Amino acid sequence: MDMQLTEEKAGAKIKVLVADDNESDRMILSSIINRQGHEVLTAADGQEALEVFEKERPQIVLLDAIMPKMDGMEAARFIKKSAGDEFIPVLFLTSLQDANSLADCLDAGGDDFLSKPYSQIILQAKLNAFLRMRSMHATMQSQRDEIAQHHRHLLREQKVAKAVFDNVAHSGCLNSPNIKYMLSPLAMFNGDVLLAAHKPSGGMHVLLGDFTGHGLPAAIGAMPMAEIFYFMTSKGFSITDIIAEINMNLKSILPVGVFCCACMADFSFEKQILRIWSGGLPESYLYRSHRKKIERIPSKHLALGILSPDDFDTELQVIEMPKGDRFFMCSDGISEAMNSSGEMFGEERMIAAIEDSSEDEEIFTAVQNAVTQFMGEQQRDDDITLVEVKMIGDFELQNPDSGFTNATQSGPQDWSMEYELGPNTLRDFNPLPLMLQIVMEVPGLRPYSGQIYTILAELFSNALEHGVLGLDSELKSTASGFIQYYEERTAQLEILESGYVRFKFTHIPNKEGGVLSIRLEDSGEGFNIDDTLSIEVKRGGYSGRGVPLVRSLSDSVEYFGAGNAVEVSYVWQFD
Amino acid sequence: MIQEEIITELKEILAEEFPLLVSTYLEDANARITRLQSAISASDAANIRVEAHSLKGASSNLGVSGLAELCSRLEDCGANEELDGVDSLFSQIQTEFTAAEGCLKQHLN
């Protein structure tokens, strides 16, 4: 509240301008106003009234309607314009009788009338009433200014927050050639989150999340989600580990009633396999390129951030997905998009748009156009997010960049370690991220993390599945057998009571880089080394990639004992 | 012819300035009556309206209600540009004003 108003409230002097061409009228008004304790300024015509107003800035103005030079109405317009945001009450002094003339006075900005003959009581009551209104008006103005300032402040904060958010959410690989997406923000922050990142092994993780609500509350949950997603993916964690970690994190930070509908997809370019965890989102679609047909993939779980870790289900849907097939995920904004008659776009229209496209590359645009045309001029009342991911061949993407680089230049160079996992650990612990993390501490080795992860993953899965569990790799030669193989793997792990897998690492630095040797030993019976290797190479099916792949990536592969120990030598050079 | 309760209130409001108010009004009214006369001679409806309006307002504030009433009728004639009969109205105004002047001067004593 400003000083002027504080004074007015205390009943201190204000300035009142009286403009009337009759001197006797001015005398009467001046006397009445003086008796009330206020200062009076006078003018004999409209033009003089404006001059006095500009010079003295009175708080209230009394104007005769009909005056020489400039009449009261014209003067009122100027005064109101000049007053701007401040409320300057203008009272017309008039003995005008007809309704039209009175209406003209109000149109010109007049706030009230005072009729002749003047009454002291009425004039004083009106002045007091207008002083109260001025005070209320000023309070309102200052509150409005305060709100506007808060709003500007909020927008600035949101802008900074958004910049931080974008840095986290966009450090992934959404611009990969096999991804198409659209995000339509309703507010400054989108309730939808779309994340994509390369896996160290060469595949890709993509996550679409739709937080309840919009704006800042939705973005707050998105931050840790993105952080966990990118960090764990870059460290080689599996989709189940990541989705469980995100759920636990969101459960602990989000208030009751706020959660995140999400679908996370794990693309293995090497195995041409899609693995999906989907909770609370609309069904996703798998487009089969050779048949030009859609397969629906329903959401099987509750949204993230609802269940406690003990109740949370990480079961995945595992689907073979040959090169060229396309996977579509969307938030409920698409199927719930409405047209002018309140009809929803719905899943059938979505499927039709996909299947009716003549060229695979045009599907995404066709769906976009179908939604836009359907809605017409309607306002979007939810975020509309749609993403398409195409399955591609292994190593088709050049130089994947995880967005996270190793800043340290010094670190362990000459070292060795041994790490043995017993049955309880093997049952549900994936040692690969930890092993990779230790190895990646070697300065300069990080660019090779993809290859090293692939080698570790192959050696470990051979040691665990064929060695400790004794599973037959023959099963994996057909698509249906592949799935049966993984079911058996899960079942046997659950009842595992004995056995071990042992990692042995040695790193020896040299001038150009270094030599990393990786040895894995398992408790299994081993295998006929020569037979197996020749079969693997000939067959080239699902299981045929393992050992030849490791051979192609490393400098030597050697088997020991009964075949239950293998040693790989990886020679690397600084970039 | 003069509303005494208005005179009483004005005496209270203006106190020692009351005689000045009366003489100011009488001077002003005299001047306006002269200007009215010229406007009527020139059949200038617009000026008849403006002068009659001002004299009406000032007179009603001084409680000279009879004169204010006559001025109101003259103002209407000016506004409607119907100048038949303005001469007769004007002579009534002159008569009324002379009487009011006498009354007001009595209040100065």
Side-chain angles (χ1 to χ4, degrees):
Chain A
M1 187 154 302
D2 62 20
M3 282 304 292
Q4 192 187 353
L5 277 166
T6 324
E7 284 169 21
E8 283 178 26
K9 270 201 152 178
K13 255 165 76 163
I14 59 157
K15 291 180 189 170
V16 180
L17 170 60
V18 173
D20 194 312
D21 59 333
N22 283 321
E23 196 182 344
S24 54
D25 288 358
R26 293 200 297 272
M27 284 180 72
I28 297 170
L29 288 172
S30 298
S31 295
I32 296 174
I33 296 164
N34 274 328
R35 279 163 66 100
Q36 214 180 339
H38 302 306
E39 183 185 343
V40 182
L41 315 161
T42 56
D45 58 60
Q47 204 169 319
E48 193 185 350
L50 282 190
E51 285 162 16
V52 175
F53 178 82
E54 292 298 338
K55 197 173 154 215
E56 302 282 343
R57 306 300 291 189
Q59 284 83 31
I60 296 184
V61 177
L62 308 182
L63 285 178
D64 193 5
I66 298 173
M67 285 187 287
K69 291 186 187 172
M70 181 190 285
D71 70 18
M73 309 194 206
E74 203 176 342
R77 280 193 199 93
F78 276 110
I79 286 171
K80 284 291 183 182
K81 197 174 166 194
S82 161
D85 268 356
E86 192 185 352
F87 176 47
I88 304 287
V90 170
L91 281 76
F92 276 99
L93 307 168
T94 180
S95 41
L96 290 173
Q97 300 292 330
D98 71 292
N100 283 339
S101 306
L102 295 175
D104 286 346
C105 291
L106 294 178
D107 284 346
D111 297 289
D112 203 355
F113 300 98
L114 192 66
S115 58
K116 301 176 184 183
Y118 300 138
S119 150
Q120 178 174 215
I121 294 169
I122 290 178
L123 176 55
Q124 291 183 344
K126 287 193 173 180
L127 287 183
N128 285 335
F130 277 109
L131 285 181
R132 280 196 301 276
M133 274 174 68
R134 261 177 62 81
S135 153
M136 285 192 307
H137 182 84
T139 306
M140 213 175 69
Q141 296 281 28
S142 75
Q143 286 175 348
R144 181 203 63 181
D145 292 348
E146 214 175 309
I147 289 169
Q149 199 196 332
H150 283 313
H151 185 67
R152 280 194 300 274
H153 187 65
L154 191 71
L155 286 182
R156 266 201 308 277
E157 283 187 344
Q158 286 206 354
K159 216 169 163 182
V160 173
K162 185 168 162 47
V164 174
F165 176 77
D166 287 348
N167 282 340
V168 172
H170 298 165
S171 68
C173 61
L174 281 175
N175 55 357
S176 287
N178 65 323
I179 296 181
K180 292 176 186 169
Y181 68 99
M182 66 167 179
L183 280 164
S184 66
L186 253 196
M188 195 160 182
F189 285 114
N190 200 320
D192 289 358
V193 181
L194 184 58
L195 310 169
H198 293 287
K199 298 193 291 178
S201 58
M204 196 180 267
H205 282 161
V206 181
L207 189 156
L208 190 158
D210 181 359
F211 280 89
T212 44
H214 296 289
L216 218 45
I220 282 170
M223 292 290 288
M225 183 182 209
E227 200 85 61
I228 293 169
F229 175 86
Y230 289 124
F231 182 79
M232 290 183 77
T233 298
S234 75
K235 294 294 178 200
F237 284 95
S238 71
I239 175 173
T240 48
D241 290 340
I242 296 172
I243 209 79
E245 180 68 22
I246 291 175
N247 177 67
M248 186 171 78
N249 188 279
L250 292 183
K251 167 79 178 158
S252 69
I253 61 168
L254 295 181
V256 174
V258 179
F259 48 84
C260 181
C261 300
C263 181
M264 180 164 171
D266 170 19
F267 298 86
S268 169
F269 299 147
E270 181 219 326
K271 297 192 173 106
Q272 306 277 288
I273 288 277
L274 167 65
R275 302 196 300 163
I276 299 162
W277 185 97
S278 183
L281 272 191
E283 56 187 19
S284 11
Y285 306 102
L286 186 59
Y287 173 76
R288 297 303 197 180
S289 178
H290 62 290
R291 284 189 285 124
K292 299 206 176 297
K293 283 288 172 202
I294 284 292
E295 284 172 22
R296 295 163 170 237
I297 303 170
S299 174
K300 294 220 162 163
H301 302 284
L302 282 178
L304 296 170
I306 297 175
L307 295 174
S308 66
D310 287 343
D311 298 325
F312 186 70
D313 187 356
T314 58
E315 195 196 331
L316 303 176
Q317 304 179 60
V318 181
I319 304 165
E320 49 157 337
M321 182 178 177
K323 191 171 156 178
D325 283 5
R326 287 157 198 265
F327 178 64
F328 293 87
M329 289 189 276
C330 57
S331 59
D332 58 8
I334 292 257
S335 58
E336 289 172 11
M338 284 195 196
N339 66 8
S340 50
S341 34
E343 206 182 340
M344 294 204 278
F345 184 67
E347 284 145 6
E348 301 312 320
R349 283 191 184 83
M350 168 105 181
I351 290 170
I354 298 175
E355 289 186 339
D356 292 350
S357 296
S358 51
E359 292 290 331
D360 288 4
E361 280 304 328
E362 284 161 14
I363 294 175
F364 188 81
T365 318
V367 174
Q368 260 182 319
N369 290 345
V371 178
T372 313
Q373 272 172 23
F374 179 78
M375 285 198 298
E377 297 298 308
Q378 283 301 107
Q379 274 285 317
R380 291 173 173 180
D381 56 0
D382 199 356
D383 297 328
I384 291 182
T385 299
L386 173 70
V387 60
E388 175 201 284
V389 186
K390 185 174 76 164
M391 179 61 85
I392 53 174
D394 207 6
F395 302 117
E396 230 175 84
L397 292 176
Q398 299 286 310
N399 300 325
D401 178 15
S402 71
F404 289 86
T405 49
N406 194 351
T408 53
Q409 288 303 314
S410 62
Q413 296 174 38
D414 47 345
W415 56 275
S416 68
M417 69 167 273
E418 190 174 315
Y419 189 78
E420 184 179 309
L421 299 90
N424 292 331
T425 308
L426 286 171
R427 202 170 295 138
D428 56 9
F429 177 69
N430 173 9
L432 296 176
L434 178 63
M435 296 296 102
L436 187 68
Q437 201 177 334
I438 289 169
V439 172
M440 283 307 119
E441 291 297 317
V442 175
L445 192 52
R446 184 152 293 273
Y448 303 99
S449 68
Q451 294 188 357
I452 291 172
Y453 184 88
T454 304
I455 294 169
L456 285 174
E458 287 304 329
L459 296 182
F460 178 68
S461 79
N462 283 343
L464 178 65
E465 292 164 10
H466 304 314
V468 177
L469 301 179
L471 294 170
D472 186 357
S473 66
E474 193 71 23
L475 264 180
K476 289 198 280 183
S477 55
T478 65
S480 60
F482 196 88
I483 289 160
Q484 189 196 338
Y485 177 87
Y486 275 95
E487 283 169 0
E488 242 175 72
R489 179 187 188 275
T490 309
Q492 292 215 25
L493 270 177
E494 263 173 36
I495 54 165
L496 185 67
E497 285 193 336
S498 64
Y500 64 85
V501 173
R502 192 180 296 140
F503 289 84
K504 281 184 178 176
F505 293 96
T506 306
H507 185 261
I508 299 160
N510 55 34
K511 272 185 196 158
E512 291 81 34
V515 180
L516 176 71
S517 81
I518 306 164
R519 185 183 169 98
L520 263 90
E521 298 168 8
D522 64 66
S523 55
E525 289 169 356
F527 59 95
N528 187 326
I529 299 166
D530 294 334
D531 283 2
T532 308
L533 289 186
S534 57
I535 291 166
E536 295 245 14
V537 173
K538 272 184 241 152
R539 199 164 47 215
Y542 283 94
S543 61
R545 293 165 178 270
V547 174
L549 179 66
V550 172
R551 278 193 197 285
S552 75
L553 293 176
S554 57
D555 294 273
S556 71
V557 180
E558 226 179 313
Y559 284 86
F560 298 95
N564 59 352
V566 59
E567 194 166 318
V568 169
S569 175
Y570 186 84
V571 179
W572 66 277
Q573 293 174 343
F574 290 113
D575 262 355
Chain B
M1 193 197 340
I2 283 195
Q3 290 172 279
E4 291 296 333
E5 69 275 14
I6 290 184
I7 296 296
T8 309
E9 192 184 346
L10 287 176
K11 280 181 177 170
E12 185 215 329
I13 294 168
L14 285 123
E16 69 271 20
E17 284 193 359
F18 178 73
L20 181 59
L21 172 71
V22 172
S23 59
T24 303
Y25 165 73
L26 291 175
E27 248 172 66
D28 195 44
N30 253 319
R32 287 195 191 279
I33 287 171
T34 308
R35 290 205 290 274
L36 259 180
Q37 191 161 27
S38 331
I40 289 168
S41 309
S43 296
D44 181 348
N47 266 326
I48 292 173
R49 181 194 175 197
V50 171
E51 296 298 340
H53 175 83
S54 277
L55 184 56
K56 173 187 79 177
S59 301
S60 97
N61 271 333
L62 267 285
V64 189
S65 50
L67 183 57
E69 170 60 25
L70 290 169
C71 287
S72 180
R73 283 160 62 188
L74 189 57
E75 183 188 353
D76 288 346
C77 292
N80 301 328
E81 299 188 12
E82 281 177 13
L83 301 186
D84 296 346
V86 294
D87 287 327
S88 141
L89 259 178
F90 181 70
S91 60
Q92 285 181 62
I93 283 172
Q94 280 178 309
T95 312
E96 187 71 23
F97 176 69
T98 312
E101 192 175 19
C103 267
L104 284 172
K105 281 184 173 168
Q106 276 183 1
H107 280 283
L108 293 180
N109 300 325

